[in-house]
Amino acid sequence: MAKESTQVEILDAAAALIAERGYTATSVDDIALRAGVAKGSVYYNFGSKADILEAILQRGVGRLSELMSSAREGREGLDALEHMAAAAIEVIRDRTDFAKILAAEVFRVGRQWEESIGAVREAAISQFAEVIAPMRPDLDAHLAGGAVFGSVLVAGLEWMVFESDRPFEDVLAVVKALLGGLVKA
Amino acid sequence: MAKESTQVEILDAAAALIAERGYTATSVDDIALRAGVAKGSVYYNFGSKADILEAILQRGVGRLSELMSSAREGREGLDALEHMAAAAIEVIRDRTDFAKILAAEVFRVGRQWEESIGAVREAAISQFAEVIAPMRPDLDAHLAGGAVFGSVLVAGLEWMVFESDRPFEDVLAVVKALLGGLVKA
């Protein structure tokens, strides 16, 4: 039987390599080597390289959805947005490779894992959009959700990749400042 | 002598393919076929596939820098940020393939074209950061520049890829709303 720990090791190794080099430049051999398992074990646990990427995306989106939904629960308006943004920044901090892959893949269409990427967009952009819609009927809520998600994703990755000595609060403060603009004077 | 029009055709073809499939999955043969030129002509005009990506990034960053600088000229504070954001959205509209490649590559380090990607980050994020710094000394200006650039990039690509029937003004309105949050009450 496939051990869950082996699967997690394979997914973590694959996410690190794909985040660094891109999907096509990463081979199953590379993934096996990095995970410290036999190539056969990779194929035993996941049918193909595309299936591994699917699993990385699904694991990431699961975590993102879960944290954003629970951050939103019982809140509305700016308060909900601030807590959802904080949850999303936590996911970027804890799953930086997933976030990098997301940034790389979210606007590519026609790839095999398009559906999983669509689920991430739905989880992130649409959740923000739903909260923004009643606050700002004058704006296109979906584009606004995209803008908020973009500010979280890029500020979060900028932090993790180039300024990781900064505290979490500095990133959150920046996103909160922008979110404040959605409250009509 | 290399014709400029041939070079532009090669760059446009390569940008479209790389934006769609990624760098490694795009071959020089694919680029030649899409551009309608001989493979030898691709190598004659550009030494390698990596040089083509460098040229795509440099051409994009040149345009982005130019438009953002001239939008900023003679302005400051929120007024400057709004005009710079509008200029960046125009670049995303007119050079969507470049913008997709940028989103995919901006947080990958150690690649051959890291310097060109650094120039884009400098052109976009740092220009926003310079304007934000005196407005909001309480924030990390660089992270704030990243957040603003992220909101522009993701809202702009969301628009071009999934909601291109919307007018330019809808995207700008969303980004302006967020920028308004940087003005202290």
Side-chain angles (χ1 to χ4, degrees):
Chain A
M1 232 182 86
K3 277 200 212 153
E4 207 190 306
S5 61
T6 305
Q7 292 189 336
V8 169
E9 274 160 31
I10 293 168
L11 290 182
D12 284 343
L17 290 167
I18 294 170
E20 196 183 308
R21 309 175 183 176
Y23 175 76
T24 311
T26 300
S27 70
V28 172
D29 282 299
D30 298 333
I31 295 168
L33 190 68
R34 176 100 160 215
V37 303
K39 190 172 173 179
S41 171
V42 177
Y43 282 117
Y44 175 73
N45 282 281
F46 301 95
S48 68
K49 194 172 67 162
D51 290 341
I52 297 175
L53 185 50
E54 284 276 1
I56 292 168
L57 293 172
Q58 275 165 20
R59 186 170 162 234
V61 73
R63 186 76 184 142
L64 187 64
S65 285
E66 191 185 300
L67 288 187
M68 283 183 65
S69 295
S70 83
R72 181 179 167 187
E73 214 177 292
R75 296 191 169 94
E76 56 183 35
L78 184 62
D79 184 38
L81 292 175
E82 288 181 350
H83 282 81
M84 289 157 73
I89 296 168
E90 272 180 49
V91 174
I92 294 166
R93 180 193 62 199
D94 299 339
R95 309 233 163 142
T96 307
D97 292 327
F98 159 70
K100 285 184 191 176
I101 295 170
L102 176 57
E105 294 292 337
V106 70
F107 294 113
R108 276 191 190 132
V109 291
R111 303 262 260 187
Q112 207 176 324
W113 46 86
E114 189 169 354
E115 215 173 293
S116 299
I117 281 287
V120 185
R121 295 179 61 252
E122 197 63 26
I125 297 181
S126 298
Q127 280 218 48
F128 282 124
E130 282 168 25
V131 178
I132 297 168
M135 293 171 74
R136 292 297 298 260
D138 58 315
L139 297 178
D140 177 321
H142 207 80
L143 290 177
V148 169
F149 180 60
S151 70
V152 169
L153 185 65
V154 175
L157 283 173
E158 185 75 17
W159 172 46
M160 291 310 293
V161 178
F162 299 108
E163 299 188 46
S164 58
D165 54 319
R166 289 270 176 186
F168 177 86
E169 287 68 29
D170 282 12
V171 190
L172 186 58
V174 153
V175 173
K176 277 187 175 179
L178 293 176
L179 288 173
L182 292 173
V183 180
K184 274 227 152 168
Chain B
M1 233 183 84
K3 275 200 214 156
E4 208 190 305
S5 61
T6 304
Q7 292 189 336
V8 168
E9 273 160 29
I10 293 168
L11 291 182
D12 284 344
L17 290 167
I18 294 170
E20 195 183 309
R21 308 174 183 179
Y23 175 75
T24 312
T26 301
S27 69
V28 172
D29 282 298
D30 297 334
I31 295 169
L33 189 68
R34 175 99 159 215
V37 304
K39 189 172 175 180
S41 171
V42 176
Y43 283 116
Y44 176 74
N45 282 282
F46 301 95
S48 67
K49 193 172 67 161
D51 290 341
I52 296 177
L53 185 51
E54 284 276 1
I56 291 168
L57 293 172
Q58 275 165 20
R59 185 169 162 236
V61 73
R63 186 76 185 143
L64 187 64
S65 285
E66 192 184 299
L67 288 187
M68 283 183 65
S69 296
S70 84
R72 181 179 167 188
E73 214 177 290
R75 297 191 169 93
E76 57 185 34
L78 185 61
D79 184 39
L81 292 175
E82 287 182 350
H83 282 83
M84 289 157 72
I89 296 168
E90 272 179 51
V91 174
I92 294 166
R93 180 193 61 200
D94 299 340
R95 310 234 164 141
T96 307
D97 291 328
F98 159 71
K100 286 184 189 176
I101 295 170
L102 177 57
E105 294 292 337
V106 71
F107 294 112
R108 278 192 188 131
V109 291
R111 303 262 262 188
Q112 207 176 325
W113 45 88
E114 190 169 352
E115 217 173 293
S116 299
I117 280 287
V120 185
R121 293 179 63 251
E122 198 61 28
I125 297 182
S126 298
Q127 280 217 46
F128 283 123
E130 282 167 26
V131 178
I132 296 167
M135 294 170 74
R136 293 295 300 261
D138 58 316
L139 296 178
D140 177 320
H142 207 81
L143 289 177
V148 169
F149 180 60
S151 70
V152 169
L153 185 64
V154 175
L157 283 173
E158 186 74 18
W159 171 46
M160 291 310 294
V161 177
F162 299 106
E163 300 189 46
S164 58
D165 54 320
R166 289 271 175 184
F168 177 87
E169 286 68 29
D170 282 11
V171 190
L172 187 58
V174 153
V175 174
K176 277 188 176 179
L178 294 175
L179 288 173
L182 293 172
V183 181
K184 275 224 151 172

